[in-house]
Amino acid sequence: GVYAYLEMLGAQAHEAALKQEEKEQQEEKLDRLKKRVEELRLQRDKLRAKVDLQEKRNLGKEGFVSEPAQPSAQSVIEWKIRSLRALLQIFYLTGISGKPTKQGVCFCISTAYEGTYLDTYHVDLLTTADVQIYRHSIPVFIPLGQIAKKYLQTDIRRFLAVLSEHLNAYAGRRFQVEQLQEHFSEQIEGPLQKNSLCNLLVFKYNMSSESKTFLLNAKLLYGDICSSLPTEVTVSCSPDAPAFLTEVAAAHSDLFRRMALHKAFHSISTAGSMEA
Amino acid sequence: MDNSTCQAYEDEIRSLEEEIKLLAGKYEDNQQESTFFSDEEILMAMKSFKEEFRGDYKGYESPSDLEAQLESLEKDLSFVMKFTGLQFTSHSKKTVERTGNRAVQRHRLSGNCHSLSFQLEFQLLEEQNKDKVSVVVTDLSIVLESGEDSDVSKFVSSIEEHGNLLMFFRSLSSYAQWCEHRSSTFLHFKVE
């Protein structure tokens, strides 16, 4: 009766109030967003004008009288700070970089394959008494202990150079495998087996000749772990394979010995079928 | 209707923020790369900065804050150049391209390693892919003093062809070590 009716009116009023609140919130939000857009547009336009001015000045455009603002002492010093930082960054490209710490030096070894920079590794040395390795990020399969035993106390530069050789060779081998898997995955049959040091690779690959596909087995051993080329290569085919395939296998074997793996595959695929 | 306007505003905000970030970066790059101050100018700036400072802290704790940063960087640089034997005498870079996750810079670098002086130019591409940054050197050109030696020019050509900047520096460094070793050995014999 009356009570239920009053309840219903109350609920309606409540709902209407909620809707009104929601509407106001929406309007507020839209308003905020609109203001923000205008703010940002203004900021963007100002920046654009600044950059245009810079570029005109740098190009020394005809008829443009530039009043270069006298740089403040602070901005000159900040310029120098940024230049020094940039130069320190360049040292990462040279392969070995180091920063003195309270108790020694923290060295950074970069690796690269040709123009592509790969992982960087750190060796933190303590030099207070005899030289000690405090911390490092050298993978466990790199013979750090051996290299340290031989060189660390007598010649830190040589220690780092030898370590860098090992790391760069490892990084180079791993890079070749990754390139192979990325660009020649269709030629690789089944999983490519390798060890963590990436100095033993075993895989099967296919090659086609006269619209027939043949399977070859490859085994690459990198006996010199400071080298990114293998010392031993075995390429074989199944016993029932046609005669010409043995010659192909021999040719490929030679190629893998002399050339980086991904480049060898590139050479094979561009040469088309390797007919004797 | 309201929702789509909201969305449109939010999209524009995101794109404006991105654009502002790029423009600010470009402005900074231009500022940094188109100016050069000599060592004397830096010293003078340091002096006048300390004088200006009496009473007005421009966001730094004290003048020694900026001075400390400068000194610390110079010390770090001096250390690494002495250790590696690579003395860089000049460096300039120009940002050729900068987009969301990609930057291309042209670098000019000259220096020496013991008695050998060199000048390099190269392009550096830095690209951010997910959580990895890839750095690639291209367009490498090297001028190495004593480049008349045919072995040396073969070495330099091969380095340039493959963009093997790291190999170049490692070889220079080991040459430097050899020089040092040789001169200390020589001194040893001289003393004897």
Side-chain angles (χ1 to χ4, degrees):
Chain A
V2 172
Y3 187 67
Y5 182 67
L6 282 174
E7 238 192 350
M8 186 197 71
L9 279 180
Q12 272 182 355
H14 183 69
E15 223 188 286
L18 277 176
K19 277 215 179 98
Q20 179 65 7
E21 209 183 310
E22 207 185 300
K23 185 172 169 220
E24 283 170 6
Q25 277 179 354
Q26 265 286 67
E27 281 174 6
E28 242 172 80
K29 183 175 176 194
L30 264 169
D31 217 36
R32 262 187 294 123
L33 288 175
K34 187 165 173 227
K35 280 209 178 85
R36 181 86 179 123
V37 167
E38 283 166 7
E39 248 173 48
L40 287 175
R41 275 189 194 153
L42 198 63
Q43 199 183 347
R44 188 270 315 268
D45 292 342
K46 274 194 182 151
L47 260 178
R48 257 205 198 140
K50 264 172 108 175
V51 171
D52 281 344
L53 195 66
Q54 261 183 342
E55 294 186 336
K56 283 205 185 91
R57 201 176 281 150
N58 290 344
L59 290 173
K61 276 215 153 61
E62 281 265 341
F64 182 81
V65 180
S66 89
E67 266 296 329
Q70 186 68 291
S72 68
Q74 179 171 333
S75 60
V76 172
I77 298 167
E78 286 171 344
W79 175 90
K80 183 66 177 174
I81 286 176
R82 265 174 267 153
S83 305
L84 291 175
R85 286 214 179 104
L87 201 50
L88 278 166
Q89 283 281 73
I90 293 280
F91 268 96
Y92 284 109
L93 301 177
T94 68
I96 295 187
S97 149
K99 193 178 148 96
T101 58
K102 277 197 203 100
Q103 297 165 289
V105 190
C106 182
F107 287 105
C108 185
I109 301 176
S110 343
T111 59
Y113 183 84
E114 295 185 342
T116 307
Y117 281 81
L118 305 167
D119 287 339
T120 13
Y121 301 92
H122 301 264
V123 181
D124 212 331
L125 297 178
L126 296 175
T127 54
T128 41
D130 61 346
V131 186
Q132 276 177 57
I133 297 175
Y134 171 51
R135 272 187 303 211
H136 68 86
S137 65
I138 311 293
V140 68
F141 43 80
I142 301 285
L144 178 62
Q146 266 179 52
I147 302 170
K149 193 162 176 201
K150 213 166 168 189
Y151 303 107
L152 191 59
Q153 301 309 322
T154 49
D155 193 343
I156 293 180
R157 283 189 189 100
R158 189 121 170 80
F159 163 74
L160 291 168
V162 173
L163 193 53
S164 167
E165 243 188 294
H166 279 78
L167 288 168
N168 269 282
Y170 158 67
R173 295 190 297 268
R174 198 180 77 185
F175 180 76
Q176 290 174 57
V177 170
E178 287 167 356
Q179 289 293 296
L180 191 65
Q181 292 173 313
E182 192 181 319
H183 300 287
F184 299 99
S185 54
E186 275 141 41
Q187 257 115 299
I188 310 291
E189 292 278 343
L192 189 149
Q193 298 172 331
K194 62 176 177 67
N195 59 353
S196 359
L197 190 51
C198 286
N199 73 328
L200 180 59
L201 305 177
V202 174
F203 58 93
K204 296 194 205 306
Y205 65 103
N206 58 54
M207 66 144 286
S208 32
S209 161
E210 293 179 340
S211 70
K212 276 202 259 184
T213 316
F214 300 99
L215 208 60
L216 290 161
N217 305 300
K219 178 172 158 199
L220 279 75
L221 177 70
Y222 299 74
D224 177 4
I225 59 171
C226 285
S227 169
S228 54
L229 281 178
T231 46
E232 263 176 62
V233 178
T234 319
V235 180
S236 60
C237 42
S238 58
D240 58 343
F244 84 93
L245 208 59
T246 1
E247 284 176 47
V248 171
H252 285 194
S253 177
D254 180 62
L255 202 62
F256 294 159
R257 274 275 267 136
R258 314 183 268 113
M259 221 185 230
L261 202 52
H262 59 301
K263 293 188 179 177
F265 265 78
H266 180 77
S267 162
I268 291 171
S269 61
T270 50
S273 69
M274 300 257 298
E275 302 270 7
Chain B
M1 182 213 51
D2 269 348
N3 261 340
S4 65
T5 329
C6 243
Q7 187 62 45
Y9 277 149
E10 281 172 349
D11 287 342
E12 194 177 347
I13 287 174
R14 245 192 309 270
S15 119
L16 280 167
E17 283 175 341
E18 187 66 45
E19 201 181 342
I20 286 171
K21 203 168 115 191
L22 286 175
L23 281 169
K26 199 169 183 190
Y27 180 74
E28 269 174 43
D29 286 342
N30 280 345
Q31 280 293 86
Q32 185 70 17
E33 294 163 6
S34 61
T35 23
F36 177 79
F37 298 108
S38 65
D39 289 341
E40 294 83 44
E41 286 173 292
I42 306 290
L43 281 171
M44 275 177 14
M46 204 64 238
K47 244 168 82 184
S48 70
F49 183 66
K50 283 191 218 173
E51 284 168 16
E52 273 173 41
F53 231 81
R54 287 193 231 107
D56 181 15
Y57 298 112
K58 292 168 204 178
Y60 288 96
E61 289 283 302
S62 65
S64 59
D65 211 38
L66 211 51
E67 194 177 8
Q69 265 185 59
L70 192 60
E71 256 177 46
S72 156
L73 287 167
E74 279 176 338
K75 223 167 87 185
D76 286 348
L77 201 53
S78 161
F79 172 82
V80 74
M81 291 210 266
K82 187 152 178 249
F83 185 85
T84 59
L86 294 168
Q87 299 280 338
F88 292 142
T89 49
S90 86
H91 171 232
S92 75
K93 68 178 164 101
K94 176 103 189 79
T95 302
V96 164
E97 183 194 316
R98 189 193 275 278
T99 55
N101 53 3
R102 191 188 145 101
V104 181
Q105 296 167 332
R106 251 215 106 64
H107 290 258
R108 264 209 194 117
L109 189 63
S110 36
N112 55 64
C113 186
H114 278 260
S115 52
L116 272 183
S117 51
F118 56 84
Q119 283 133 59
L120 320 166
E121 246 187 74
F122 58 93
Q123 199 143 282
L124 194 68
L125 161 65
E126 277 175 71
E127 210 164 358
Q128 175 104 28
N129 284 321
K130 291 178 209 171
D131 56 340
K132 252 189 153 185
V133 180
S134 96
V135 176
V136 183
V137 165
T138 51
D139 242 345
L140 178 59
S141 102
I142 301 176
V143 175
L144 188 59
E145 192 201 283
S146 98
E148 273 125 44
D149 185 331
S150 72
D151 281 341
V152 174
S153 24
K154 266 191 235 153
F155 166 71
V156 169
S157 298
S158 152
I159 295 274
E160 283 175 332
E161 194 187 326
H162 297 119
N164 231 327
L165 190 59
L166 190 121
M167 175 66 73
F168 173 73
F169 282 120
R170 277 172 59 204
S171 312
L172 268 191
S173 245
S174 56
Y175 168 75
Q177 283 175 51
W178 177 80
C179 275
E180 228 183 76
H181 181 79
R182 194 182 72 159
S183 62
S184 64
T185 316
F186 183 65
L187 273 172
H188 172 84
F189 284 118
K190 223 177 168 184
V191 166
E192 302 265 293

